[in-house]
Amino acid sequence: MKAVTFASAGLAIVAGAHAYNSKLDQQSNVTAMNLTGTHGPERPLAHLTPTTGWMNDPNGLFYDNETATYHAYYQYNPNDNVWDLPLFWGHASSKNLVTWEDHGVALEPMDDESGAFSGSIVIDRNNTSGFFDNSTLPGQRIVALYTENSNVSESQFAAYSLDGGYTFDYYEHNPVLDINSTQFRDPKVFWHDETERWIMTLALSQEYKIQIYTSENLTSWEFKSNFSHHGILGYQYECPGLAKVPVIHDSPSNVTLHGNNSTMNATAQTNSSSVDHKWVMFISINPGAPMGGSFNEYFIGDFDGETFTAQDAATRVVDHGKDFYAMQTFSDAPNNDVLGIAWASNWDYAAYVPTEDYRSSMSLVRNLTLRPYSPNPETTEFTLYSEPILNYTQLNTNQSMHKTSLELNSEESVSYRLGKSPQGLLEFSLEWKVNSSALTSKHEFADMSLYFQGAEDDDEYLRLGYEQNAAAFFLDRGNSEVDFVNENPFFNNRVSQNIEIYKIAEDGLPIFKVRGIIDRNIIELFFNDGSSTSTNLFFLSEENYIGTVEISSGVDNVYTILDFDVKQLSVKNE
Amino acid sequence: MKAVTFASAGLAIVAGAHAYNSKLDQQSNVTAMNLTGTHGPERPLAHLTPTTGWMNDPNGLFYDNETATYHAYYQYNPNDNVWDLPLFWGHASSKNLVTWEDHGVALEPMDDESGAFSGSIVIDRNNTSGFFDNSTLPGQRIVALYTENSNVSESQFAAYSLDGGYTFDYYEHNPVLDINSTQFRDPKVFWHDETERWIMTLALSQEYKIQIYTSENLTSWEFKSNFSHHGILGYQYECPGLAKVPVIHDSPSNVTLHGNNSTMNATAQTNSSSVDHKWVMFISINPGAPMGGSFNEYFIGDFDGETFTAQDAATRVVDHGKDFYAMQTFSDAPNNDVLGIAWASNWDYAAYVPTEDYRSSMSLVRNLTLRPYSPNPETTEFTLYSEPILNYTQLNTNQSMHKTSLELNSEESVSYRLGKSPQGLLEFSLEWKVNSSALTSKHEFADMSLYFQGAEDDDEYLRLGYEQNAAAFFLDRGNSEVDFVNENPFFNNRVSQNIEIYKIAEDGLPIFKVRGIIDRNIIELFFNDGSSTSTNLFFLSEENYIGTVEISSGVDNVYTILDFDVKQLSVKNE
């Protein structure tokens, strides 16, 4: 029914059947390319992008312990730089999580009018599936579960790889799960130690249900429960994930938690020091985010092997930026870490972002933990902390700048050149203290602003900072001459972020902190060691990379920069 | 503790005690003014604004059936156009909900360092409080319950009026409720017929609890339950409200609900046609909205006189715009309608919006109902519908324009002058049909755009419309020469809105609908008869009122304007 599929952004089912036609041969020119060698002027250096074509959701993330290699797959249209059918799984691998090697198409759909939609990969060490024999190392027994989207259904398919994830065979009795629905997708599978079974979460998207199935062999699945009508509903649920996330009982910097009435839910919730994990359900919704388009939410709770029970009815936001969607976690990550990658774009405007050879970037890999934080003086509870993985063994620091004890006033701004020939990759960390009693008028715009300006044209810049009357952090990505930025009516210029106090200084004043990674056209912000984050695309003119940072304030003696560290980075040649 | 109060935007408790000093005499110049006569060039015509000074949350809304008059109070600083202590209740009344008469200060705090913070008014017809005798008509037995905010506590006070709400006496045994908290506020009280008691909801803000108390006399309150950790938590909860909202089982336009798999939750939830109301809990959060700053969320459920139980754990958004906060409903509205008003601003930038004599506007009054809608093809459920009350007996239509059956193409735009000497008040309604099969490329920006341009300078305009690849509606308020718009790093230019199909045309194509009211510096959008809304401030240069609308599309034959009606309005002189 045409009208039904109309509003399904990017997921419309195209009517009409075509003969099956493998697209793999047509893509052979892509598979041989190497990402690192084809970075255009606008392409991020330390983020995963496709060599050519269109990318959206991350899929099948896993770590191969045998070769110490991270593998990332993704929704991929190699034929164009917009989403379209047929849709494939693209594949890239990395040993350092900074540079990625492109392996082209990994999975293909059944025909030209279909898609190999999102899914996940597990390591079937014990060969529960029977897909393997002893010629495949246990740590490389790779099984993909994904959604085959045709013009009449969405059903779950299995495929397996005998060569470490580079090529796949399709299970001969696919689908492994079909409930006769057109809106049933994005299986994320993991091994549940306690019940010794495989668990699959997937979205019955338009009924707002995350369904939980179990299996002993990855091919026969039994329905167990629904997790339904939690959080912002939007148009539909997509890309669920259930993860056993480590609980770290200290906040990351041994912050002195403020407030006398602290309810210390963090302690109360765990009851005993032996509990060191909690379960987290991740859901993506699109369209219908409160801030427009796409976003990720999560729920903290318990999982008994069949049912996920949220601890409360709160809706928690994975990332407050505009460009963070469909986050998935890695299977078999080292140290049982929970590592996630998201698609760093928004369906509101993803098809039009001003890149040419390719379109879309992933976020950096994030290490996810649950830690106590105090969103206000009377509450301490667990929240999801995200720490970006930025592997310095693979990076050169071309220039670094470190300032301490800089008191800001409205008469003068401070400007720093960030080295010669910047390449657009920077990392910074900023701690600032706020003395609100120095405010002399409620009419003053009481900001501390950092202007990260283009080296070639300083009329183009990212502005970010904090304003005391709003008690919030801001990012303004609108100061650009790029047509897309000025003309696309969905690409909003400004985002704001409520952040809690990081710690209290000896003089009793509050301290806040942000860490940022800027990589050509993406900025990822991590507040207070990662208790909240904001990931946003931005676009300056071609090769106008950030070359200067200017710090200013509209008020006197309110802000002290305690610590400001900026590094101009580049990626080491391999 | 200074650090504790630091991050409490606009609610910081100022240290230091001062002698009690009535501010009422100092405000006598304000009380005599009449709002209608003092509209500056930028001030909305059909929205409640303060004559001078600062306004935030609506308070004490009630309808006086004896005089057929609506009364609105509000958080008020008459001494400046920014929030500050001492804070008062301002008061305005209206017989038509278009024009409001200013009555100046209604309630004052105990001293200069305190605030008469938000609260509500009830009509104590049966004199349960003992505040009245037979000299006061039952319908004018007005009791205000509000939060007295001092530098050491927030406690609940009562006051009553013997003259219809124009002056108040303070209850001699205040507070009526004090739990020794500094973050305990915003009582909203109503009479519960079923249990024959008064019910109070109020926020234990920083513990994320809405507390429910009951009383037989408005002065003695008994704790019954907490409604806790629902929805987006943000920094804190504020301004709760519990309302018995009429359920209307037909969607407003007898829309043919689409989809074969509709679960018809709407019917299932009510079970029987005799159920004609459901309870809705409203909560405001600030800061910490997913889209930055302030917003309102709601929860549908049941209330037994002591406990509110949400039907699910979904978080529903009252208004998706940037400028809609602290919505409160009227006591004793005609026909038992549930009528609401919100503060139309955002704490992220409210103190800096470019108005001079006054600051802040309320939203229009909205009639709230629960009606079935279909957010996607597989779900039908109840959602909150909002219908603006725009009283045409008080408005002149200076010019109207009505177009039907206008097929858009990329070669030509259509432009309409909207009458001479526009005054900045317009209403429009737009229905459009989308033929997505006419899209020839996924690279085309497939928009239908309406440019509402300034009459004096058409470089300033509001752009709004729909884009097929995003499947979303957009509003761009950033095309302005006003410094605030270009410079304030929180005032984001663009908001986007997911909307469901309104109905299916005879040719099978989907139809969407939006109604908009533009009043000088505020635009309120009501999608599909009000199933979702978006309220946003905007600022063009002084007296550059909207004078032209231009309609264009980037694509051919995709959009047909089925019905476009625009009225230039002005307010009748009384």
Side-chain angles (χ1 to χ4, degrees), chain A residues 519-540:
Chain A
D519 189 4
R520 294 203 166 172
N521 59 23
I522 182 170
I523 177 167
E524 296 181 68
L525 296 169
F526 300 84
F527 299 100
N528 291 353
D529 296 334
S531 62
S532 63
T533 67
S534 183
T535 299
N536 296 277
L537 299 178
F538 69 99
F539 298 96
L540 307 187

Side-chain angles (χ1 to χ4, degrees), chain A residues 440-565:
Chain A
T440 55
S441 161
K442 288 184 181 287
H443 294 269
E444 293 172 329
F445 187 67
D447 69 318
M448 169 200 67
S449 291
L450 274 63
Y451 297 83
F452 283 98
Q453 300 163 327
E456 299 292 321
D457 174 4
D458 63 9
D459 286 341
E460 294 193 323
Y461 55 87
L462 280 179
R463 179 181 177 185
L464 48 88
Y466 188 83
E467 207 271 331
Q468 165 58 17
N469 286 308
F473 194 92
F474 59 81
L475 169 68
D476 184 349
R477 60 178 179 174
N479 304 290
S480 164
E481 291 155 16
V482 172
D483 287 345
F484 168 80
V485 172
N486 293 301
E487 294 172 7
N488 185 292
F490 291 102
F491 191 78
N492 64 307
N493 52 359
R494 293 154 185 166
V495 295
S496 109
Q497 176 67 40
N498 170 47
I499 52 175
E500 78 282 7
I501 294 169
Y502 182 58
K503 57 186 174 185
I504 304 292
E506 287 183 3
D507 58 10
L509 296 177
I511 296 171
F512 300 87
K513 183 179 178 186
V514 65
R515 177 183 178 192
I517 293 145
I518 300 174
D519 189 4
R520 294 203 166 172
N521 59 23
I522 182 170
I523 177 167
E524 296 181 68
L525 296 169
F526 300 84
F527 299 100
N528 291 353
D529 296 334
S531 62
S532 63
T533 67
S534 183
T535 299
N536 296 277
L537 299 178
F538 69 99
F539 298 96
L540 307 187
S541 295
E542 199 167 295
E543 301 193 50
N544 190 27
Y545 305 130
I546 304 297
T548 307
V549 60
E550 185 177 324
I551 308 173
S552 70
S553 176
V555 289
D556 294 325
N557 307 320
V558 173
Y559 293 99
T560 305
I561 305 285
L562 299 180
D563 193 289
F564 183 40
D565 187 72

Side-chain angles (χ1 to χ4, degrees), chain A residues 1-10 80-85 181-183 204-208 228-236 258-261 263 265 287-293 295 299 312-317 320 322 347-349 351-352 359 373 375-379 381 434-437 442-446 449 463 466-476 479 484-499 501 504 508-510 512, chain B residues 1-10 80-85 181-183 204-208 228-236 258-261 263 265 287-293 295 299 312-317 320 322 347-349 351-352 359 373 375-379 381 434-437 442-446 449 463 466-476 479 484-499 501 504 508-510 512:
Chain A
M1 183 177 172
K2 197 172 290 297
V4 171
T5 60
F6 171 82
S8 173
D80 202 350
N81 62 359
V82 292
W83 188 96
D84 209 347
L85 296 177
S181 168
T182 62
Q183 305 294 331
L204 204 48
S205 294
Q206 300 191 356
E207 296 182 26
Y208 304 117
S228 163
H229 283 79
H230 274 73
I232 300 276
L233 302 181
Y235 177 75
Q236 62 190 354
H258 50 77
N260 296 322
N261 296 326
T263 53
N265 289 336
M291 57 282 212
F295 96 133
F299 308 90
D312 56 33
T315 299
R316 295 176 169 92
V317 180
H320 287 77
K322 284 288 286 192
W347 283 111
D348 263 2
Y349 47 70
Y352 306 116
R359 211 172 252 129
Y373 90 127
N376 63 45
E378 298 191 7
T379 295
E381 59 178 23
V434 184
N435 179 12
S436 57
S437 69
K442 288 184 181 287
H443 294 269
E444 293 172 329
F445 187 67
S449 291
R463 179 181 177 185
Y466 188 83
E467 207 271 331
Q468 165 58 17
N469 286 308
F473 194 92
F474 59 81
L475 169 68
D476 184 349
N479 304 290
F484 168 80
V485 172
N486 293 301
E487 294 172 7
N488 185 292
F490 291 102
F491 191 78
N492 64 307
N493 52 359
R494 293 154 185 166
V495 295
S496 109
Q497 176 67 40
N498 170 47
I499 52 175
I501 294 169
I504 304 292
L509 296 177
F512 300 87
Chain B
M1 182 177 174
K2 197 170 292 294
V4 171
T5 61
F6 170 81
S8 173
D80 202 349
N81 61 0
V82 291
W83 187 97
D84 210 346
L85 296 175
S181 169
T182 62
Q183 305 293 334
L204 204 50
S205 294
Q206 299 190 357
E207 295 183 27
Y208 304 117
S228 163
H229 282 78
H230 273 73
I232 300 276
L233 302 180
Y235 178 75
Q236 61 188 355
H258 50 78
N260 296 323
N261 296 327
T263 54
N265 289 337
M291 56 284 211
F295 94 135
F299 308 90
D312 56 35
T315 298
R316 294 177 170 91
V317 180
H320 286 78
K322 284 287 286 191
W347 283 110
D348 263 1
Y349 48 69
Y352 306 115
R359 212 172 251 129
Y373 91 127
N376 62 45
E378 297 191 7
T379 294
E381 61 178 21
V434 184
N435 180 13
S436 57
S437 68
K442 288 184 181 289
H443 295 268
E444 294 172 328
F445 187 67
S449 290
R463 179 182 178 185
Y466 188 83
E467 206 270 332
Q468 166 58 14
N469 286 308
F473 195 91
F474 59 82
L475 169 68
D476 184 349
N479 305 288
F484 167 80
V485 172
N486 293 301
E487 293 172 8
N488 185 293
F490 291 102
F491 191 78
N492 64 307
N493 52 0
R494 293 155 185 165
V495 294
S496 108
Q497 174 68 39
N498 171 46
I499 51 175
I501 294 170
I504 304 293
L509 296 176
F512 300 87

Side-chain angles (χ1 to χ4, degrees), chain B residues 34-51:
Chain B
N34 183 299
L35 275 182
T36 316
T38 58
H39 280 156
E42 80 293 349
R43 186 188 294 264
L45 298 171
H47 287 74
L48 171 59
T49 56
T51 305

Side-chain angles (χ1 to χ4, degrees), chain A residues 34 36-37 94-96 98-101 394 571-574:
Chain A
N34 184 299
T36 315
S94 178
K95 289 189 175 279
N96 53 44
V98 171
T99 56
W100 292 84
E101 186 177 359
Q394 194 58 33
V571 175
K572 284 184 184 170
N573 292 324
E574 290 177 283

Side-chain angles (χ1 to χ4, degrees), chain B residues 320-369:
Chain B
H320 286 78
K322 284 287 286 191
D323 300 295
F324 194 90
Y325 190 65
M327 189 181 75
Q328 188 179 102
T329 57
F330 279 82
S331 294
D332 287 54
N335 311 315
N336 291 317
D337 285 346
V338 179
L339 306 180
I341 289 183
W343 179 52
S345 196
N346 191 311
W347 283 110
D348 263 1
Y349 48 69
Y352 306 115
V353 298
T355 60
E356 288 186 11
D357 298 340
Y358 77 101
R359 212 172 251 129
S360 298
S361 166
M362 294 299 175
S363 72
L364 288 174
V365 178
R366 296 177 173 199
N367 189 3
L368 305 173
T369 54

